Amino acid sequence: MEDQAPIRIFCLGCGFFVYRTADILRLRAQYRLVGALCGALPSKKRKSASCGSPLLLSYEETLLAVESRFAILVKYVPSWLNIDAKEHDSESHGAPSQAANTFCNIPTEDAAANSTLAEPLPEHELRKRAGGREMHAKVFRALWMSGMYVTGAAKYGADYLVYPGDPLCCHASMLVHVKHEHAQLRLPQRICMHRLATAIKKLAIIARVTATPDVKTGDDAKPLPAERSMHSLDLRYCADNDSVRRTCTGVSFYSVELGGTEVEIDI
């Protein structure tokens, strides 16, 4: 069936976009990836509060989707970008520009989804676009494997908001800050984290990421597949195996309590 085919995520510039409405709904309902709608609605073209497709995904969401094999990453260069490039080249050589008087087609949902100009991008090309978000990708993966919905939390001065259900139906329960395992936080910083989270009725969480996690199993854990790297590890296998979830992601979670103390917890 068409809906069961891998979702196509288009790499355009520095962003990752999903154009098909069915894919956007499938990402949210089936895979708990929310993203951010960034297109203008036909009836409200000048309203920024209400947006439509395409859906903009973060690097963490895109990497998780590609690693889980329910999405593929493709590179798409629409015609209007080619026109801009030709205009830049002509101006650099002193030739008159013809692009200003040329009409171009901006890709719509069907044009982008069915375009033959899209070229598949290998997974290692996606990792080159991390931009220093490697630790965040590990934390996002660990939270997602716990069955949570995860969105950005820049407006609260944190990294992630964690929801027990769909963000349209419930409030976030945790405010997550991503730190290296050896990062030293001063007491006033931890107190500020706790006070901010308490003021908005959330739990302040510090996610500490190990540099090179060792994938090991406990006595009660199922053995991990042999000769599998960290990046190729089956995420759904880890999600169903609580005893290896932490070791396969390399992330530990700490609750910031009253007075700024850190208490390790399980998500």
Side-chain angles (χ1 to χ4, degrees), residues 197-216:
T198 302
I200 56 178
K201 299 180 180 180
K202 295 172 180 39
L203 183 64
I205 300 294
I206 297 177
R208 295 191 176 273
V209 185
T210 59
T212 53
D214 295 325
V215 181
K216 299 180 180 179

Side-chain angles (χ1 to χ4, degrees), residues 67-68 145 225 228-230 232-239 248:
E67 285 184 338
S68 300
M145 287 193 302
R228 300 194 66 177
S229 66
M230 185 69 221
S232 64
L233 194 62
D234 190 343
L235 301 184
R236 283 169 290 188
Y237 175 87
C238 292
C248 73

Side-chain angles (χ1 to χ4, degrees), residues 40-132:
L41 294 174
S43 59
K44 301 178 180 179
K45 296 181 179 179
R46 299 182 183 275
K47 300 292 185 181
S48 59
S50 300
C51 298
S53 60
L55 180 73
L56 175 64
L57 296 177
S58 65
Y59 167 78
E60 300 94 294
E61 292 170 319
T62 304
L63 180 64
L64 187 144
V66 173
E67 285 184 338
S68 300
R69 303 295 185 264
F70 59 78
I72 58 175
L73 184 66
V74 294
K75 183 178 181 180
Y76 176 69
V77 182
S79 58
W80 57 275
L81 283 183
N82 290 333
I83 291 177
D84 291 342
K86 293 178 181 178
E87 179 183 4
H88 180 269
D89 293 340
S90 61
E91 289 178 353
S92 62
H93 289 84
S97 173
Q98 299 294 333
N101 299 323
T102 304
F103 289 98
C104 60
N105 294 324
I106 297 177
T108 60
E109 173 185 326
D110 294 332
N114 301 320
S115 174
T116 57
L117 298 177
E119 300 178 356
L121 284 178
E123 192 172 311
H124 66 84
E125 289 293 334
L126 173 60
R127 297 186 184 282
K128 293 180 181 179
R129 303 170 184 265

Side-chain angles (χ1 to χ4, degrees), residues 244-264:
V244 299
R245 182 184 300 160
R246 182 182 304 174
T247 53
C248 73
T249 57
V251 181
S252 299
F253 294 96
Y254 298 84
S255 172
V256 182
E257 304 296 333
L258 183 65
T261 59
E262 296 183 27
V263 179
E264 188 172 4

Side-chain angles (χ1 to χ4, degrees), residues 32 140-148 239 245 253 266-267:
R32 291 179 281 105
F140 185 92
R141 182 187 299 114
L143 294 170
W144 182 84
M145 287 193 302
S146 299
M148 306 290 187
R245 182 184 300 160
F253 294 96
D266 292 327
I267 297 298

